């Protein structure tokens, strides 16, 4: 009985932490929105703490690789001092593209949490399932956390863009 209660408590703590981290990623996405960038934000978590955060900067940097999760992982490698992010988790507001999913495999990310699917460029579930391929490293994936908030932000951005 006590073990069941402990398991339930641990699960609730994990859900609260996950929501906190995804909220931080959504704040990053809102920063991108304010810069007229596609509103995607990401955070990298290590030992229960955010060690890096970023948002899309492709237009500002005129760089194809300036995706939120890619930039956040680069910051995390500098913080940790290693390209191996084995004990890290990535929280991102939109399903990673194949480039970012591949970078996560290379970086040895432990867990990926994303909010909304990307039916046009998703590299995890929607278009291709890159993380299902039996590479030398496997990533645990969960999706749908704060999906509605992420979708609403993206839809608002593209509506605003079409109106221009």
């Amino acid at each position: 009985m006590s073990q069941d209660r402990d398991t339930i408590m641990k699960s609730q703590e994990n859900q609260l932490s996950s929501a906190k981290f995804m909220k931080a990623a959504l704040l990053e996405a809102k920063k991108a929105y304010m810069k007229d960038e596609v509103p995607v934000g990401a955070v990298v978590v290590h030992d229960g703490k955010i060690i890096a955060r970023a948002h899309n900067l492709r237009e500002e940097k005129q760089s194809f690789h300036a995706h939120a999760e890619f930039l956040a992982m680069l910051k995390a490698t500098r913080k940790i001092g290693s390209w191996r992010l084995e004990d890290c988790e990535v929280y991102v507001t939109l399903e990673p593209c194949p480039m970012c999913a591949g970078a996560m495999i290379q970086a040895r990310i432990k867990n990926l949490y994303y909010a909304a699917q990307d039916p046009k460029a998703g590299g995890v579930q929607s278009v291709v399932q890159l993380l299902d391929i039996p590479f030398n490293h496997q990533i645990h994936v969960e999706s749908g956390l704060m999906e509605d908030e992420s979708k609403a932000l993206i839809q608002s951005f593209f509506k605003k863009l079409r109106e221009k």
Side-chain angles (χ1 to χ4, degrees):
M1 189 82 148
S2 175
Q3 189 176 20
D4 289 341
R5 187 173 59 238
D6 290 346
T7 302
I8 290 169
M9 294 295 289
K10 183 84 167 158
S11 175
Q12 289 173 339
E13 287 173 14
N14 289 341
Q15 288 173 353
L16 289 173
S17 293
S18 292
K20 175 179 79 172
F21 298 139
M22 191 59 79
K23 283 181 184 177
L26 278 165
L27 283 175
E28 288 297 314
K30 289 174 184 174
K31 291 177 186 177
Y33 185 98
M34 299 307 292
K35 294 178 179 181
D36 289 328
E37 298 274 358
V38 176
V40 178
V43 298
V44 178
V45 175
H46 183 256
D47 289 337
K49 294 183 175 74
I50 295 172
I51 61 166
R53 52 183 83 222
H55 52 274
N56 267 356
L57 291 174
R58 287 195 313 172
E59 297 301 324
E60 181 178 307
K61 292 188 177 286
Q62 286 299 297
S63 175
F64 65 85
H65 77 280
H67 290 199
E69 55 271 58
F70 200 96
L71 296 172
M73 288 189 301
L74 285 173
K75 288 179 181 179
T77 62
R78 289 191 291 272
K79 179 87 173 186
I80 288 179
S82 173
W83 63 268
R84 290 178 184 89
L85 300 175
E86 294 169 320
D87 295 323
C88 293
E89 302 174 322
V90 173
Y91 289 80
V92 62
T93 59
L94 187 66
E95 177 183 1
C97 71
M99 176 185 70
C100 292
M104 289 178 194
I105 293 166
Q106 293 299 316
R108 313 294 195 261
I109 293 297
K110 182 177 182 179
N111 297 310
L112 165 64
Y113 303 91
Y114 68 88
Q117 290 185 359
D118 184 350
K120 294 185 179 182
V124 177
Q125 184 177 12
S126 299
V127 178
V128 295
Q129 296 78 38
L130 193 64
L131 301 183
D132 289 346
I133 297 171
F135 290 108
N136 64 325
H137 177 74
Q138 296 295 299
I139 300 171
H140 171 79
V141 178
E142 291 185 32
S143 64
L145 181 64
M146 303 185 80
E147 179 178 14
D148 293 340
E149 294 91 330
S150 180
K151 277 185 180 177
L153 189 60
I154 290 168
Q155 289 170 346
S156 173
F157 173 80
F158 282 109
K159 181 180 179 193
K160 182 178 84 169
L161 197 63
R162 284 189 300 273
E163 290 171 354
K164 283 187 179 179

